[in-house]
Amino acid sequence: MKKLIFGIVFILLFLTPKNVKSIESPLVLNIVYRGQAELINHKPYLIKSGKSKKGKVSVVARDVPMAILDTEKNEIIIIRATVSVERDVYINGRIEKIVDVKNVRPADFYVVKNNGNGINTSFYVTRNGKYYPFLGWHYIKHDNGETLVYSPYSDFFALPDVISFGREYLMSAITLGNEDLKGLRVFSRAIDDRFIADVIPVRLIANLALIEHMDHNEYEDMGEVYMTNKVLTQFALNRENTFSYSRSSVGALCLMQIMRTTYGGSRSKKGKLAPGVLQLYPLARLPVNPVAGSCDSHSGAAKVAALVLDDKLASMPEDFLNQFSDDPKRFGYVLAAAYNGGASRAIRIYRHVGEPRIFELIKNLFSYLTHGRSDFREYNLLREETWIFVKKYFEVDKELHKK
């Protein structure tokens, strides 16, 4: 009993995310957080083997501690395993895929990869036919040896109270980013004499934060309710660490999937700078390093996303600016299209697709992508990825903000 009380006190004092309002955790989260607290005392390490042509030692596996739950005894058990990886190279680093689990200790446990990749890999753990829910692991990065305790998603955790906690955490973090911009008096470049915090709604940023972490194929199979709850559960489990290691195949960063060039700009061959939000909004006081600005905190990432959205909005025609200013909820999907596919593509659907036609297109999107429909020529206005992004926006908006 003393151990349980200590665990809860530890959570409340040290694991509650800073700068986000304190929310009472349900029992299942207390169990997860106790597992995370115990994992801190069990260190992972890299297993290195062989040399590349350049003479560098290659990392082929990790030896990692894992926390699992004995549901009958309500007891947390720490096991260890050797996890091997394969790497897919992308622009600004690597994406790692867990491919094999070996050398499990104690040896009578059986561990196999369940789903996910990298730090968000979940494992299926059994012993003598009995299932043990996977609470998390102590992960170590191959490139710099940085470690992080993390709890990957599992349907076991997707309970109503957990989902609610994740929703409140996310909305609180985004609101903090919004309030920071307002406190710094950062004005919109799109709408004169208005603060960005009053132009770009928290609701819009929250929708994008969820959508950016929903796999297209899984979304088509499982639908918006399951996928919304899945992402919110991850926020509840990992709070400020959620998606802190997330990188897309093209190098987009962390929670809001911001590209480095969108953040810090890019230079032409002649050295001319095409500015990013770092240069366009100096009053926002963004860190110079895009990783720091996009990944150090969720409120900071939301702040950057608001700047990106305002910059996209500044490229939209005046008649759209007027309509968006009057009803951002109604026209948020156009700005979502700009966030994913650029302002020029977003202008296309604004000019050529109105209501209720947009809802018909969204409703039939996956059928069209599978079978093709010559009578729906508007689908050619956007890339497939952006159409799916817009579909998610409409559906996630209703699910995330339902009462």
Side-chain angles (χ1 to χ4, degrees):
M1 185 64 183
K2 289 182 178 179
K3 188 174 182 180
L4 174 60
I5 293 173
F6 174 78
I8 295 174
V9 171
F10 181 92
I11 293 159
L12 295 176
L13 291 179
F14 298 100
L15 293 181
T16 299
K18 296 180 179 179
N19 300 324
V20 178
K21 65 180 181 180
S22 178
I23 306 171
E24 184 177 356
S25 302
L27 179 60
V28 67
L29 289 180
N30 285 337
I31 293 172
V32 172
Y33 298 163
R34 283 169 50 205
Q36 292 175 352
E38 291 195 25
L39 281 168
I40 291 173
N41 298 318
H42 297 264
K43 303 300 183 183
Y45 58 87
L46 299 172
I47 298 175
K48 301 181 180 182
S49 175
K51 291 186 177 181
S52 66
K53 292 181 180 180
K54 295 182 179 181
K56 295 183 178 180
V57 176
S58 175
V59 177
V60 296
R62 298 173 172 84
D63 192 89
V64 294
M66 300 176 173
I68 58 176
L69 177 66
D70 185 329
T71 54
E72 293 178 359
K73 300 179 180 179
N74 194 27
E75 178 183 331
I76 294 169
I77 302 171
I78 303 295
I79 62 175
R80 296 192 73 96
T82 301
V83 177
S84 60
V85 302
E86 69 178 21
R87 301 175 189 153
D88 290 344
V89 177
Y90 69 90
I91 289 178
N92 292 303
R94 299 176 184 269
I95 296 175
E96 297 193 346
K97 298 180 180 179
I98 308 300
V99 295
D100 196 16
V101 182
K102 300 177 180 178
N103 191 27
V104 180
R105 291 97 69 200
D108 54 346
F109 280 98
Y110 176 73
V111 180
V112 63
K113 176 184 174 180
N114 186 13
N115 55 47
N117 288 305
I119 197 171
N120 203 38
T121 303
S122 181
F123 298 91
Y124 186 80
V125 184
T126 59
R127 179 169 62 178
N128 299 326
K130 177 181 175 181
Y131 169 65
Y132 291 78
F134 179 71
L135 300 179
W137 60 336
H138 200 160
Y139 184 86
I140 182 169
K141 293 181 69 175
H142 78 277
D143 50 357
N144 61 11
E146 180 183 350
T147 67
L148 182 68
V149 172
Y150 202 84
S151 295
Y153 173 80
S154 169
D155 289 341
F156 177 83
F157 301 122
L159 303 173
D161 284 345
V162 176
I163 294 165
S164 178
F165 179 81
R167 180 183 289 106
E168 291 188 52
Y169 170 82
L170 175 64
M171 298 305 294
S172 179
I174 293 176
T175 299
L176 280 172
N178 181 278
E179 291 174 350
D180 188 24
L181 284 174
K182 198 163 191 174
L184 292 169
R185 299 179 60 82
V186 182
F187 282 92
S188 170
R189 297 178 60 250
I191 301 178
D192 292 339
D193 300 322
R194 291 186 63 186
F195 293 130
I196 289 177
D198 296 327
V199 171
I200 306 298
V202 167
R203 179 177 185 141
L204 172 55
I205 300 172
N207 293 344
L208 299 182
L210 265 66
I211 294 167
E212 287 289 1
H213 301 282
M214 295 179 176
D215 176 77
H216 289 348
N217 293 328
E218 188 179 16
Y219 187 91
E220 181 177 1
D221 291 341
M222 304 303 293
E224 70 274 14
V225 176
Y226 177 86
M227 295 302 295
T228 298
N229 291 344
K230 177 177 180 178
V231 181
L232 291 176
T233 297
Q234 291 177 78
F235 282 112
L237 296 177
N238 296 289
R239 307 161 311 281
E240 70 272 20
N241 291 325
T242 311
F243 306 123
S244 62
Y245 281 180
S246 179
R247 306 288 191 275
S248 76
S249 59
V250 294
L253 298 168
C254 301
L255 176 65
M256 300 307 303
Q257 291 292 280
I258 304 294
M259 294 294 294
R260 293 169 187 262
T261 52
T262 301
Y263 187 100
S266 60
R267 291 192 178 277
S268 66
K269 292 181 179 179
K270 295 182 178 180
K272 185 177 180 180
L273 176 67
V277 293
L278 175 67
Q279 294 83 20
L280 293 172
Y281 299 93
L283 292 179
R285 300 180 185 177
L286 297 180
V288 174
N289 186 336
V291 176
S294 300
C295 303
D296 278 1
S297 72
H298 289 151
S299 59
K303 178 178 168 180
V304 175
L307 301 178
V308 173
L309 288 165
D310 185 73
D311 184 43
K312 300 291 184 184
L313 190 61
S315 301
M316 301 296 286
E318 185 174 353
D319 56 330
F320 175 79
L321 294 180
N322 294 332
Q323 294 196 66
F324 179 83
S325 181
D326 292 339
D327 195 348
K329 179 182 176 183
R330 180 181 175 186
F331 293 98
Y333 75 92
V334 180
L335 206 51
Y339 190 84
N340 177 264
S344 61
R345 291 189 176 95
I347 292 171
R348 294 176 195 170
I349 60 168
Y350 170 67
R351 291 293 190 206
H352 302 290
V353 182
E355 298 177 4
R357 181 60 168 169
I358 185 68
F359 304 121
E360 184 181 2
L361 294 173
I362 291 301
K363 180 180 178 181
N364 295 283
L365 178 63
F366 286 135
S367 175
Y368 168 79
L369 294 177
T370 303
H371 306 293
R373 289 286 299 274
S374 59
D375 54 327
F376 285 179
R377 295 181 179 178
E378 295 100 323
Y379 283 130
N380 296 324
L381 295 172
L382 300 177
R383 297 177 304 172
E384 177 180 317
E385 176 190 346
T386 303
W387 268 120
I388 296 174
F389 198 89
V390 172
K391 176 179 175 65
K392 290 177 184 176
Y393 183 86
F394 276 113
E395 296 172 349
V396 168
D397 179 73
K398 291 181 180 179
E399 181 62 25
L400 177 60
H401 306 288
K402 68 181 180 182
K403 295 182 180 180

